[in-house]
mmCIF file with all atom_site columns, all heavy atoms in Angstrom:
data_model
loop_
_atom_site.group_PDB
_atom_site.id
_atom_site.type_symbol
_atom_site.label_atom_id
_atom_site.label_alt_id
_atom_site.label_comp_id
_atom_site.label_asym_id
_atom_site.label_entity_id
_atom_site.label_seq_id
_atom_site.pdbx_PDB_ins_code
_atom_site.Cartn_x
_atom_site.Cartn_y
_atom_site.Cartn_z
_atom_site.occupancy
_atom_site.B_iso_or_equiv
_atom_site.pdbx_formal_charge
_atom_site.auth_seq_id
_atom_site.auth_comp_id
_atom_site.auth_asym_id
_atom_site.auth_atom_id
_atom_site.pdbx_PDB_model_num
ATOM 1  N N   . ILE A 1 112 ? 5.085  3.102  -10.659 1.00 95.00 ? 112 ILE A N   1
ATOM 2  C CA  . ILE A 1 112 ? 5.636  4.333  -11.244 1.00 95.00 ? 112 ILE A CA  1
ATOM 3  C C   . ILE A 1 112 ? 5.107  4.498  -12.666 1.00 95.00 ? 112 ILE A C   1
ATOM 4  O O   . ILE A 1 112 ? 4.846  3.520  -13.365 1.00 95.00 ? 112 ILE A O   1
ATOM 5  C CB  . ILE A 1 112 ? 7.185  4.306  -11.241 1.00 95.00 ? 112 ILE A CB  1
ATOM 6  C CG1 . ILE A 1 112 ? 7.760  5.661  -11.678 1.00 95.00 ? 112 ILE A CG1 1
ATOM 7  C CG2 . ILE A 1 112 ? 7.727  3.158  -12.085 1.00 95.00 ? 112 ILE A CG2 1
ATOM 8  C CD1 . ILE A 1 112 ? 9.244  5.813  -11.376 1.00 95.00 ? 112 ILE A CD1 1
ATOM 9  N N   . SER A 1 113 ? 4.917  5.764  -13.063 1.00 92.00 ? 113 SER A N   1
ATOM 10 C CA  . SER A 1 113 ? 4.614  6.120  -14.446 1.00 92.00 ? 113 SER A CA  1
ATOM 11 C C   . SER A 1 113 ? 5.501  7.309  -14.793 1.00 92.00 ? 113 SER A C   1
ATOM 12 O O   . SER A 1 113 ? 6.247  7.796  -13.946 1.00 92.00 ? 113 SER A O   1
ATOM 13 C CB  . SER A 1 113 ? 3.134  6.497  -14.604 1.00 92.00 ? 113 SER A CB  1
ATOM 14 O OG  . SER A 1 113 ? 2.883  7.784  -14.085 1.00 92.00 ? 113 SER A OG  1
ATOM 15 N N   . GLU A 1 114 ? 5.390  7.792  -16.020 1.00 89.00 ? 114 GLU A N   1
ATOM 16 C CA  . GLU A 1 114 ? 6.159  8.983  -16.391 1.00 89.00 ? 114 GLU A CA  1
ATOM 17 C C   . GLU A 1 114 ? 5.672  10.219 -15.655 1.00 89.00 ? 114 GLU A C   1
ATOM 18 O O   . GLU A 1 114 ? 6.401  11.192 -15.532 1.00 89.00 ? 114 GLU A O   1
ATOM 19 C CB  . GLU A 1 114 ? 6.055  9.250  -17.891 1.00 89.00 ? 114 GLU A CB  1
ATOM 20 C CG  . GLU A 1 114 ? 6.999  8.419  -18.706 1.00 89.00 ? 114 GLU A CG  1
ATOM 21 C CD  . GLU A 1 114 ? 6.966  8.833  -20.149 1.00 89.00 ? 114 GLU A CD  1
ATOM 22 O OE1 . GLU A 1 114 ? 7.315  9.997  -20.452 1.00 89.00 ? 114 GLU A OE1 1
ATOM 23 O OE2 . GLU A 1 114 ? 6.570  7.995  -20.976 1.00 89.00 ? 114 GLU A OE2 1
ATOM 24 N N   . GLU A 1 115 ? 4.452  10.212 -15.194 1.00 90.00 ? 115 GLU A N   1
ATOM 25 C CA  . GLU A 1 115 ? 3.873  11.394 -14.559 1.00 90.00 ? 115 GLU A CA  1
ATOM 26 C C   . GLU A 1 115 ? 3.916  11.357 -13.041 1.00 90.00 ? 115 GLU A C   1
ATOM 27 O O   . GLU A 1 115 ? 3.742  12.376 -12.398 1.00 90.00 ? 115 GLU A O   1
ATOM 28 C CB  . GLU A 1 115 ? 2.422  11.553 -15.003 1.00 90.00 ? 115 GLU A CB  1
ATOM 29 C CG  . GLU A 1 115 ? 2.298  11.777 -16.490 1.00 90.00 ? 115 GLU A CG  1
ATOM 30 C CD  . GLU A 1 115 ? 0.851  11.815 -16.939 1.00 90.00 ? 115 GLU A CD  1
ATOM 31 O OE1 . GLU A 1 115 ? -0.023 11.241 -16.264 1.00 90.00 ? 115 GLU A OE1 1
ATOM 32 O OE2 . GLU A 1 115 ? 0.602  12.432 -17.977 1.00 90.00 ? 115 GLU A OE2 1
ATOM 33 N N   . GLY A 1 116 ? 4.106  10.160 -12.472 1.00 94.00 ? 116 GLY A N   1
ATOM 34 C CA  . GLY A 1 116 ? 4.062  10.098 -11.023 1.00 94.00 ? 116 GLY A CA  1
ATOM 35 C C   . GLY A 1 116 ? 4.479  8.748  -10.485 1.00 94.00 ? 116 GLY A C   1
ATOM 36 O O   . GLY A 1 116 ? 4.899  7.860  -11.226 1.00 94.00 ? 116 GLY A O   1
ATOM 37 N N   . PHE A 1 117 ? 4.338  8.611  -9.195  1.00 96.00 ? 117 PHE A N   1
ATOM 38 C CA  . PHE A 1 117 ? 4.691  7.365  -8.528  1.00 96.00 ? 117 PHE A CA  1
ATOM 39 C C   . PHE A 1 117 ? 3.798  7.218  -7.306  1.00 96.00 ? 117 PHE A C   1
ATOM 40 O O   . PHE A 1 117 ? 3.183  8.170  -6.838  1.00 96.00 ? 117 PHE A O   1
ATOM 41 C CB  . PHE A 1 117 ? 6.173  7.365  -8.110  1.00 96.00 ? 117 PHE A CB  1
ATOM 42 C CG  . PHE A 1 117 ? 6.567  8.521  -7.236  1.00 96.00 ? 117 PHE A CG  1
ATOM 43 C CD1 . PHE A 1 117 ? 6.403  8.461  -5.851  1.00 96.00 ? 117 PHE A CD1 1
ATOM 44 C CD2 . PHE A 1 117 ? 7.093  9.679  -7.785  1.00 96.00 ? 117 PHE A CD2 1
ATOM 45 C CE1 . PHE A 1 117 ? 6.750  9.536  -5.046  1.00 96.00 ? 117 PHE A CE1 1
ATOM 46 C CE2 . PHE A 1 117 ? 7.448  10.761 -6.989  1.00 96.00 ? 117 PHE A CE2 1
ATOM 47 C CZ  . PHE A 1 117 ? 7.276  10.690 -5.608  1.00 96.00 ? 117 PHE A CZ  1
ATOM 48 N N   . ALA A 1 118 ? 3.730  5.994  -6.813  1.00 95.00 ? 118 ALA A N   1
ATOM 49 C CA  . ALA A 1 118 ? 2.983  5.718  -5.588  1.00 95.00 ? 118 ALA A CA  1
ATOM 50 C C   . ALA A 1 118 ? 3.885  4.913  -4.666  1.00 95.00 ? 118 ALA A C   1
ATOM 51 O O   . ALA A 1 118 ? 4.677  4.080  -5.120  1.00 95.00 ? 118 ALA A O   1
ATOM 52 C CB  . ALA A 1 118 ? 1.701  4.947  -5.902  1.00 95.00 ? 118 ALA A CB  1
ATOM 53 N N   . VAL A 1 119 ? 3.755  5.195  -3.374  1.00 96.00 ? 119 VAL A N   1
ATOM 54 C CA  . VAL A 1 119 ? 4.575  4.508  -2.368  1.00 96.00 ? 119 VAL A CA  1
ATOM 55 C C   . VAL A 1 119 ? 3.671  3.940  -1.282  1.00 96.00 ? 119 VAL A C   1
ATOM 56 O O   . VAL A 1 119 ? 2.546  4.404  -1.072  1.00 96.00 ? 119 VAL A O   1
ATOM 57 C CB  . VAL A 1 119 ? 5.623  5.458  -1.742  1.00 96.00 ? 119 VAL A CB  1
ATOM 58 C CG1 . VAL A 1 119 ? 6.637  5.923  -2.775  1.00 96.00 ? 119 VAL A CG1 1
ATOM 59 C CG2 . VAL A 1 119 ? 4.968  6.653  -1.054  1.00 96.00 ? 119 VAL A CG2 1
ATOM 60 N N   . TYR A 1 120 ? 4.172  2.918  -0.606  1.00 96.00 ? 120 TYR A N   1
ATOM 61 C CA  . TYR A 1 120 ? 3.480  2.408  0.568   1.00 96.00 ? 120 TYR A CA  1
ATOM 62 C C   . TYR A 1 120 ? 3.671  3.426  1.683   1.00 96.00 ? 120 TYR A C   1
ATOM 63 O O   . TYR A 1 120 ? 4.764  3.944  1.880   1.00 96.00 ? 120 TYR A O   1
ATOM 64 C CB  . TYR A 1 120 ? 4.080  1.064  0.994   1.00 96.00 ? 120 TYR A CB  1
ATOM 65 C CG  . TYR A 1 120 ? 3.829  -0.039 0.002   1.00 96.00 ? 120 TYR A CG  1
ATOM 66 C CD1 . TYR A 1 120 ? 4.782  -0.366 -0.964  1.00 96.00 ? 120 TYR A CD1 1
ATOM 67 C CD2 . TYR A 1 120 ? 2.641  -0.753 0.037   1.00 96.00 ? 120 TYR A CD2 1
ATOM 68 C CE1 . TYR A 1 120 ? 4.542  -1.390 -1.868  1.00 96.00 ? 120 TYR A CE1 1
ATOM 69 C CE2 . TYR A 1 120 ? 2.400  -1.785 -0.875  1.00 96.00 ? 120 TYR A CE2 1
ATOM 70 C CZ  . TYR A 1 120 ? 3.358  -2.088 -1.822  1.00 96.00 ? 120 TYR A CZ  1
ATOM 71 O OH  . TYR A 1 120 ? 3.123  -3.095 -2.720  1.00 96.00 ? 120 TYR A OH  1
ATOM 72 N N   . CYS A 1 121 ? 2.599  3.746  2.411   1.00 93.00 ? 121 CYS A N   1
ATOM 73 C CA  . CYS A 1 121 ? 2.710  4.712  3.491   1.00 93.00 ? 121 CYS A CA  1
ATOM 74 C C   . CYS A 1 121 ? 1.860  4.274  4.682   1.00 93.00 ? 121 CYS A C   1
ATOM 75 O O   . CYS A 1 121 ? 1.099  3.315  4.597   1.00 93.00 ? 121 CYS A O   1
ATOM 76 C CB  . CYS A 1 121 ? 2.347  6.115  3.014   1.00 93.00 ? 121 CYS A CB  1
ATOM 77 S SG  . CYS A 1 121 ? 0.730  6.268  2.266   1.00 93.00 ? 121 CYS A SG  1
ATOM 78 N N   . THR A 1 122 ? 2.007  5.008  5.775   1.00 92.00 ? 122 THR A N   1
ATOM 79 C CA  . THR A 1 122 ? 1.256  4.732  7.002   1.00 92.00 ? 122 THR A CA  1
ATOM 80 C C   . THR A 1 122 ? 0.343  5.914  7.302   1.00 92.00 ? 122 THR A C   1
ATOM 81 O O   . THR A 1 122 ? 0.463  6.986  6.682   1.00 92.00 ? 122 THR A O   1
ATOM 82 C CB  . THR A 1 122 ? 2.212  4.529  8.188   1.00 92.00 ? 122 THR A CB  1
ATOM 83 O OG1 . THR A 1 122 ? 2.899  5.779  8.427   1.00 92.00 ? 122 THR A OG1 1
ATOM 84 C CG2 . THR A 1 122 ? 3.237  3.424  7.920   1.00 92.00 ? 122 THR A CG2 1
ATOM 85 N N   . LEU A 1 123 ? -0.538 5.749  8.274   1.00 88.00 ? 123 LEU A N   1
ATOM 86 C CA  . LEU A 1 123 ? -1.397 6.866  8.691   1.00 88.00 ? 123 LEU A CA  1
ATOM 87 C C   . LEU A 1 123 ? -0.553 8.037  9.189   1.00 88.00 ? 123 LEU A C   1
ATOM 88 O O   . LEU A 1 123 ? -0.877 9.200  8.928   1.00 88.00 ? 123 LEU A O   1
ATOM 89 C CB  . LEU A 1 123 ? -2.380 6.404  9.768   1.00 88.00 ? 123 LEU A CB  1
ATOM 90 C CG  . LEU A 1 123 ? -3.434 5.403  9.300   1.00 88.00 ? 123 LEU A CG  1
ATOM 91 C CD1 . LEU A 1 123 ? -4.246 4.883  10.483  1.00 88.00 ? 123 LEU A CD1 1
ATOM 92 C CD2 . LEU A 1 123 ? -4.347 6.023  8.251   1.00 88.00 ? 123 LEU A CD2 1
#
Side-chain angles (χ1 to χ4, degrees):
I112 187 166
S113 76
E114 278 187 62
E115 297 175 335
F117 56 86
V119 295
Y120 293 96
C121 56
T122 65
L123 293 173

